[in-house]
Amino acid sequence: MMNQITRTVFTGALLGVSVAAIATPQNQECSAQNPGNCLNGVGPAVTNPDATRVTAAQVAKQTHRESVGDKENLAYFGNSARSGLSAGDGFSGFGVWGSFGLADFSADIPIRSAVQPIASYDADQKSLFVGVDKLFMNALVLGVSLGYENTDIDTAYNGGNNDTDGYTVAPYAAYLINNTFSLDVAGGYSSLSTDTDRIDNVSGGTITGSFDANRWFVSGNLNASKAVGQWLLAGRVGLLYSDEDQDAYAEIGPNTARSIGKRHIDLSQVSFGFDVAYQAKQFEPYATFTYINDLGRDNGTKAGGLPGAVGATQPSDDDEVQAGLGVRYFGDQYSGTFEWTRTYGRDTFDADSFLFTLRADF
């Protein structure tokens, strides 16, 4: 009797586990074999607002770092801070640089859908920039940079992928007001091309599409710095505006392929940040902290492409904090930076970014 009870309890428990397993989200994964689990929505309609925000911030960071970050070392970083040189001493004022950026970001966005209540994606973005600038009158920096970017996004909610390549030209300038304050501005234009695909939620076939886009951005910062012994303190307040226009396109594929209208995405942000660095001979380890608030944004939902009965998929949260660590190196002619930052505070969005720069001054 006891053995029979034990078997009954064990069988019931096993059945309960099996039922629970069937009901878990893992078993509702969108795939060609289970197309009914796929959202009938195009990937860029969900992901492009985040991708545009990440890209604009990365480009602005790279140009800002070179327009002011390395010229500020003539006032308070590295060799200048140790020797007391004024801006321009020891250099002809001509410099070339290169940078590589990597951002990994993802989101789990709640939406009103019984098929996939969470629209999840994982993305990585790579950017490569080269630039040249010159220091005039020991106070004015003028430069220009050229860049390439690639953003690859896997959209789990529709079994698809969005792959974007683009090229950017970005002139920049900085003015060193004195040994404490400086101003920098940058603007840029990017030409972009995106290939996208997803699973048709009727047949399990593949639906594809492609479109071109143009993006503009402008950014500016007021910077302040102070050396206290071996410690280096810096603060900044900045503005960023990015505007992206995507062409209309028609998907190709079975059943649920659709036409997507022109999409306009824009973003305005204000940021407040500070760095704390410590001089250790030719190296400067530092910590960085930045608060960012979205003053306004258009997520481009009017173009269509979202799943049925789903409105805007971007949460209403409008601010984040970026905190990170890095190290600077200053040689006689060459300098470099490696930095890692993590994004906190967005309701459904997470990101880690890495930036490596190498510069030669002549």
Side-chain angles (χ1 to χ4, degrees):
M1 182 66 177
M2 197 66 178
N3 289 337
Q4 183 178 355
I5 294 175
T6 301
R7 285 195 300 271
T8 301
V9 171
F10 177 79
T11 302
L14 183 60
L15 180 60
V17 171
S18 300
V19 171
I22 293 173
T24 59
Q26 288 82 354
N27 286 280
Q28 297 178 13
E29 180 181 358
C30 167
S31 67
Q33 292 74 34
N34 296 288
N37 293 334
C38 301
L39 284 176
N40 180 21
V42 301
V46 177
T47 65
N48 275 10
D50 285 340
T52 298
R53 188 177 73 247
V54 171
T55 303
Q58 284 287 86
V59 174
K61 179 189 291 187
Q62 286 165 301
T63 52
H64 163 73
R65 182 174 300 282
E66 296 308 319
S67 64
V68 173
D70 279 299
K71 293 306 178 186
E72 277 182 346
N73 70 49
L74 301 177
Y76 73 101
F77 281 154
N79 294 330
S80 299
R82 289 192 293 272
S83 63
L85 296 176
S86 62
D89 289 349
F91 295 91
S92 71
F94 175 75
V96 296
W97 58 272
S99 67
F100 174 75
L102 173 65
D104 290 312
F105 58 101
S106 62
D108 296 302
I109 304 171
I111 59 176
R112 298 188 301 272
S113 171
V115 177
Q116 291 282 351
I118 302 294
S120 299
Y121 73 80
D122 290 288
D124 67 76
Q125 181 204 80
K126 304 176 183 67
S127 57
L128 180 66
F129 274 78
V130 294
V132 58
D133 53 47
K134 185 171 176 58
L135 179 66
F136 297 91
M137 300 177 292
N138 290 343
L140 177 65
V141 178
L142 296 177
V144 63
S145 65
L146 298 174
Y148 166 78
E149 67 186 65
N150 172 261
T151 304
D152 186 61
I153 306 177
D154 291 323
T155 51
Y157 50 87
N158 67 2
N161 177 266
N162 308 323
D163 188 80
T164 300
D165 292 282
Y167 296 90
T168 298
V169 56
Y172 56 89
Y175 180 68
L176 307 181
I177 300 171
N178 52 39
N179 282 354
T180 301
F181 294 101
S182 64
L183 289 168
D184 70 272
V185 293
Y189 167 78
S190 301
S191 177
L192 309 169
S193 178
T194 297
D195 293 319
T196 180
D197 62 71
R198 64 186 178 94
I199 294 174
D200 171 37
N201 70 337
V202 176
S203 67
T206 300
I207 296 174
T208 62
S210 63
F211 59 90
D212 296 326
N214 299 303
R215 184 178 64 233
W216 298 86
F217 87 93
V218 61
S219 65
N221 298 275
L222 172 64
N223 310 280
S225 61
K226 180 70 174 179
V228 182
Q230 295 297 105
W231 292 94
L232 305 168
L233 310 176
R236 61 194 171 276
V237 56
L239 291 170
L240 169 67
Y241 176 76
S242 178
D243 184 295
E244 183 172 322
D245 287 303
Q246 302 172 1
D247 291 344
Y249 68 100
E251 292 185 312
I252 299 173
N255 297 293
T256 59
R258 62 179 74 176
S259 294
I260 307 299
K262 292 183 178 180
R263 192 182 306 279
H264 175 82
I265 300 172
D266 63 55
L267 174 69
S268 302
Q269 290 183 325
V270 62
S271 62
F272 305 89
F274 66 88
D275 300 345
V276 179
Y278 184 80
Q279 294 180 347
K281 296 184 178 179
Q282 292 181 301
F283 293 91
E284 287 179 7
Y286 66 92
T288 181
F289 179 95
T290 305
Y291 170 77
I292 299 173
N293 184 270
D294 300 341
L295 298 177
R297 61 188 182 190
D298 181 351
N299 289 329
T301 55
K302 294 179 181 178
L306 293 174
V310 175
T313 60
Q314 292 293 316
S316 59
D317 63 320
D318 60 3
D319 61 354
E320 66 183 54
V321 171
Q322 294 182 1
L325 300 171
V327 60
R328 304 181 184 98
Y329 167 78
F330 296 99
D332 293 335
Q333 184 177 2
Y334 299 97
S335 59
T337 303
F338 178 78
E339 180 179 291
W340 160 77
T341 57
R342 172 165 289 180
T343 297
Y344 301 90
R346 298 280 180 181
D347 288 345
T348 64
F349 176 86
D350 294 292
D352 287 276
S353 63
F354 303 86
L355 182 62
F356 173 76
T357 67
L358 183 63
R359 180 183 180 89
D361 284 288
F362 301 96

